Amino acid sequence: MITLNVNGTARAVETDSATPLLYVLRDHLALNGAKFGCGLGQCGACTVMIGGEAAFSCLVPVSLVGSREVKTIEGLGTIDNPGVVQQAFIDEQAAQCGYCIAGMVMRAQALLERKPDPSDAEIRRAMAPSLCRCGTHMRILRAVRRAADAMRGAPAAAPVALR
Ligand code: FES
Ligand code: FES
């Protein structure tokens, strides 16, 4: 039995200690926001936050998480009440298929908690480990900038019009 702190709640799971955190989140805790893409640490679809840092949950054995808080996209907000980063991704229409987006949002969240006013170069560097096969990278970068501005109380640009 392993106990995890997930989105501020203690969750006990019966699993092998080598099971990747991603499988525990999806298969044991029904937290399906983080996605399986490559299973090799190469795509970022599985990204969650562990102890405040973005991490590939497909590569982290659940036994290595310890007492660090695991934060998933389900912990940031809801459909009715999205978190700041989630809202920015909506406003910029940053998703196409959406497969990469939970990982992108978590990577952006980790960046902005660490650095509230990143430069564009810092945003690009921080987001680089996550890939978007649909090619919405430019919208994703705009969404991260929008979220940073919103968190600092800067006036928001008009949302991108739906096409
Ligand atoms: S599924 Fe984890 S990096 Fe691709
Ligand atoms: S929106 Fe489809 S992979 Fe990114």
Side-chain angles (χ1 to χ4, degrees):
M1 184 74 78
I2 290 176
T3 301
L4 297 170
N5 175 358
V6 183
N7 298 327
T9 303
R11 307 291 300 267
V13 286
E14 189 82 57
T15 188
D16 187 273
S17 61
T19 305
L21 173 62
L22 176 64
Y23 298 177
V24 171
L25 294 173
R26 293 181 58 85
D27 300 341
H28 293 258
L29 302 179
L31 294 168
N32 295 311
K35 301 290 186 286
F36 181 93
C38 63
L40 297 168
Q42 294 177 354
C43 74
C46 64
T47 300
V48 300
M49 289 167 65
I50 303 175
E53 299 290 334
F56 297 133
S57 63
C58 70
L59 292 185
V60 179
V62 68
S63 57
L64 292 188
V65 174
S67 61
R68 293 175 293 170
E69 182 186 13
V70 177
K71 205 183 278 187
T72 71
I73 192 153
E74 292 88 348
L76 298 190
T78 63
I79 289 175
D80 292 334
N81 190 22
V84 173
V85 179
Q86 291 168 314
Q87 186 62 56
F89 274 65
I90 294 167
D91 290 342
E92 292 292 346
Q93 292 290 294
Q96 190 163 319
C97 78
Y99 203 82
C100 68
I101 293 297
M104 293 283 188
V105 167
M106 296 315 296
R107 193 164 288 284
Q109 181 78 26
L111 168 66
L112 298 180
E113 287 186 13
R114 187 175 74 247
K115 195 166 186 43
D117 190 15
S119 67
D120 287 346
E122 287 169 329
I123 294 174
R124 285 172 180 268
R125 202 160 39 244
M127 300 302 290
S130 286
L131 306 180
C132 175
R133 75 189 79 185
C134 295
T136 67
H137 287 283
M138 296 313 293
R139 289 180 178 219
I140 289 167
L141 295 175
R142 283 204 305 269
V144 180
R145 168 56 57 210
R146 173 183 285 275
D149 290 347
M151 284 178 171
R152 287 180 294 102
V160 167
L162 289 173
R163 284 192 284 183

